[in-house]
Amino acid sequence: MRVGSVASRPMARPSFRSPKGTRDILPGEAERQRALVNTFADSARKAGFGHVITPMFEELGVFKRLGESTDVVTKEMYDFVAKDNNRYALRPELTASVVRAFVQHRPQIPWKVWYEGPQFRYERPQAGRYRQFSQIGVEALGTDDPSLDADVIALGWNFYSQLGLNEVTLMVNSLGDPTCRPAYLEALTRYFETRRSQLSEQSQHTLLVNPLRVLDSKREQDQSIIDEAPVMVDHLSDETAEHFGGVRRLLDRMEIPYEISPRLVRGLDYYTRTTFEFASHALEGSQNAVGGGGRYDSLASDLGGPDTPGIGFALGVDRILLACDAEGVFDAPSSLVDVFLIDVTGGDEAAMISQALMVSGIACDRAYDARSMRAQFRAADKSGAAFAVIIGEDEVENGQATIRSLRGDDREQTTVATHLLTEELHKRLSTT
Ligand code: AMP
C-alpha cells in the first residue's frame, strides 16, 4: 500500500453514543425527573430531613462494607486506581457514603438526611436496569426506636401515593440482629447443606460465603429449595421480635398495608432487623422493585464510628417513572413560557425587552436569525406562551410594543408604552 493514499483518504466521521447501559434523558423527560425529585425533596423536608450531598466516588473500602458476597461488590463495582494510586469506586448506592459522612462529621443525633443522584453498577442492561441510574432516599441515624422505622416506611409509602401510583405494595421482614442471627444462619446452612447438590452452582458458592444471600437468588433452579428454607422471623430473639412487632403495630395504626415477606433479604449485607421493599405490580416481575431499605445498626461502627443505629431507604427514580408510565400518572410538567417576543426590526429590541422581562420574573422566549414575521408567529404559537409581544418599526419609533393574546379565539391586541410593558404583562398574566 502506498503511504500517500492513506493520508489523502477522508477520515471517517466518529459516531459516539452514550455508553452501554446509560441513557441521555432529554428535555421533557428530564423535567419530569426533576419534578419527581422536587416532590420527594418537599416531603422529606416536611418530615424533618435535611439535604445531604456526598461525592460520587469514595475509597473502595467504604463500599466493601456492602458485603463481600453481594453482586454489587463482587461484580458490579466501577472501581479504579486514580493518579494518586488510591483505589476508588463510583458509588453503587448512597447509604454507605452517607454513613461515612456521618462518621466523619459526627453531627448531632438523630441525624435525618435525604439525598438524590446517580448511582453506578456494572449490571446487565435491560428495561428498567441501567449501569447509571438515579435514586432518591433518606437515612436516619441515632435511634432504634421502632417508631422511626414506621415513619421512614411511611415516608416512602406516601411518596408513591403522592405521585398517583396505586399498584405499589410494601413487603416487610426482620433480619434479626447479632444476638439471634447466628443460630438462624446455622439452621439455614444445615438446611441448604442437605440440598446442596440441587442448588445452582452459583448458590453453592454463595452458601460458603453467606447462606443468607442464597435466599436472594432469583435462579429458577433454587426457588423450590428456597421456598422451604427456615425463615428468620421464626428465630428472632424476644427483643428483636418485640421491635418488629412495634414496627408492624405502628404501620397498622397508620393504615399502611403491608405483607410480611419472610424471605426478603435485600441485596446488601449491612441490614439488621427491619427490612422492606416496595414493588410495583404495573411493572414486569423481574424489574418490579421500585425501592427498598432497612436498618443497618452496625454500619456506623463498621466504618470506624461510634455504635449508632440507623435506618433508611433508596427509591429508584428511573423505575418509578416507568411505573408512572404504566399507570398513566405523573405526566411531564409543561415547561411553557409566558411570553414570546416577535421582533421584525432585527432582534436587538427583543433582546433588551427579553432581558427586562426575565429580570422581572416573566418566562419568555424569542426567535433568532431575523426570521420572517410569519415564521416568528408560528414559533410563538408553538411555544405555548399566553402572549406575544410584537415589535415592529412603528412600535420602535413610538417607544411602544404590542401585546397580543395567543390563547382562546379572541386574539385581541393592545399597544402599550415600552416602559409600562413589564407591569402590563404581569397584570395580564396574573389573570390567565
Ligand atoms: P438497592 O440500592 O439495590 O436497594 O435499590 C433500590 C432501588 O433502586 C431499587 O428498588 C430499584 O428501583 C433501583 N435500582 C437498583 N438498581 C438499579 C439499576 N441497575 N437500574 C435502575 N434502577 C435500579
Side-chain angles (χ1 to χ4, degrees):
M1 196 207 307
R2 280 185 304 133
V3 175
S5 69
V6 173
S8 60
R9 205 180 295 152
M11 282 236 289
R13 273 169 170 271
S15 78
F16 298 116
R17 302 186 66 81
S18 57
K20 187 170 172 193
T22 71
R23 332 176 273 151
D24 300 311
I25 304 175
L26 303 179
E29 188 59 14
E31 264 117 36
R32 189 177 181 218
Q33 180 160 323
R34 173 61 47 203
L36 183 137
V37 172
N38 289 347
T39 306
F40 179 73
D42 198 42
S43 322
R45 197 173 42 76
K46 286 182 181 152
F49 289 76
H51 190 196
V52 68
I53 302 175
T54 61
M56 281 202 214
F57 63 96
E58 298 272 355
E59 283 181 52
L60 182 62
V62 171
F63 301 124
K64 285 265 164 105
R65 313 288 157 170
L66 308 184
E68 298 286 356
S69 63
T70 60
D71 282 356
V72 172
V73 169
T74 56
K75 299 188 199 146
E76 299 168 1
M77 199 78 80
Y78 277 93
D79 55 334
F80 57 96
V81 176
K83 291 186 172 63
D84 61 7
N85 280 329
N86 284 326
R87 196 169 195 96
Y88 297 100
L90 297 185
R91 64 183 185 206
E93 59 111 53
L94 257 154
T95 306
S97 299
V98 170
V99 175
R100 193 269 310 136
F102 171 81
V103 169
Q104 183 174 336
H105 302 284
R106 308 281 169 107
Q108 252 194 341
I109 53 168
W111 195 53
K112 291 166 66 183
V113 292
W114 73 270
Y115 56 74
E116 55 117 354
Q119 320 297 326
F120 307 86
R121 296 182 194 174
Y122 190 79
E123 299 204 71
R124 202 155 56 84
Q126 49 197 295
R129 187 171 292 283
Y130 312 105
R131 290 182 174 170
Q132 176 177 331
F133 59 96
S134 235
Q135 286 184 338
I136 43 183
V138 296
E139 309 296 346
L141 286 112
T143 168
D144 66 354
D145 187 339
S147 203
L148 175 64
D149 302 38
D151 278 353
V152 164
I153 295 173
L155 185 66
W157 176 261
N158 294 342
F159 176 64
Y160 296 112
S161 340
Q162 222 179 326
L163 298 178
L165 290 171
N166 283 317
E167 296 193 46
V168 174
T169 51
L170 165 65
M171 286 154 293
V172 297
N173 190 20
S174 174
L175 284 181
D177 68 7
T179 63
C180 54
R181 205 190 285 178
Y184 169 64
L185 289 183
E186 245 170 65
L188 191 64
T189 309
R190 265 200 311 276
Y191 167 81
F192 280 134
E193 284 297 350
T194 60
R195 290 171 168 75
R196 165 179 275 281
S197 59
Q198 290 154 261
L199 286 171
S200 66
E201 206 177 305
Q202 180 65 41
S203 289
Q204 291 187 27
H205 174 73
T206 309
L207 181 56
L208 297 174
V209 201
N210 183 351
L212 207 57
R213 282 257 74 72
V214 178
L215 295 178
D216 202 30
S217 160
K218 301 285 178 289
R219 277 169 284 272
E220 191 55 46
Q221 185 181 345
D222 299 327
Q223 293 318 305
S224 59
I225 306 167
I226 290 172
D227 286 347
E228 286 171 23
V231 290
M232 185 71 234
V233 281
D234 293 339
H235 290 76
L236 296 178
S237 65
D238 290 347
E239 207 184 321
T240 314
E242 196 185 319
H243 189 272
F244 191 38
V247 178
R248 288 183 344 238
R249 183 175 49 78
L250 282 163
L251 291 177
D252 291 337
R253 293 196 67 181
M254 291 171 173
E255 296 183 2
I256 294 178
Y258 61 89
E259 281 165 34
I260 302 213
S261 178
R263 289 182 182 81
L264 175 71
V265 293
R266 317 257 315 116
L268 308 165
D269 276 357
Y270 50 59
Y271 288 114
T272 52
R273 299 200 270 185
T274 314
T275 46
F276 54 95
E277 197 155 279
F278 297 102
S280 163
H281 296 287
L283 294 180
E284 172 99 16
S286 56
Q287 245 65 251
N288 72 358
V290 285
R295 277 210 159 271
Y296 42 82
D297 292 338
S298 31
L299 188 57
S301 59
D302 279 355
L303 286 168
D307 226 347
T308 315
I311 181 166
F313 64 63
L315 317 181
V317 170
D318 312 73
R319 266 197 224 165
I320 294 175
L321 286 172
L322 288 175
C324 289
D325 289 341
E327 289 202 38
V329 297
F330 202 72
D331 290 337
S334 57
S335 53
L336 302 180
V337 292
D338 299 322
V339 170
F340 198 94
L341 302 173
I342 295 173
D343 182 349
V344 290
T345 68
D348 285 8
E349 289 300 317
M352 283 180 309
I353 292 177
S354 146
Q355 161 71 357
L357 295 190
M358 284 203 279
V359 167
S360 83
I362 293 176
C364 65
D365 198 3
R366 62 197 166 98
Y368 297 91
D369 302 323
R371 314 262 312 271
S372 72
M373 187 166 199
R374 245 178 85 158
Q376 292 192 52
F377 263 112
R378 263 203 310 272
D381 277 330
K382 238 167 87 184
S383 76
F387 297 101
V389 168
I390 305 157
I391 307 143
E393 300 294 349
D394 289 350
E395 277 91 350
V396 173
E397 210 160 287
N398 300 325
Q400 292 176 322
T402 299
I403 301 173
R404 178 177 163 131
S405 165
L406 291 176
R407 300 214 184 124
D409 294 332
D410 177 22
R411 299 278 169 118
E412 56 107 11
Q413 55 182 58
T414 338
T415 299
V416 297
T418 315
H419 70 276
L420 296 175
L421 180 65
T422 309
E423 193 187 320
E424 182 61 28
L425 283 170
H426 272 292
K427 218 184 294 164
R428 285 169 182 242
L429 286 166
S430 68
T431 60
T432 51

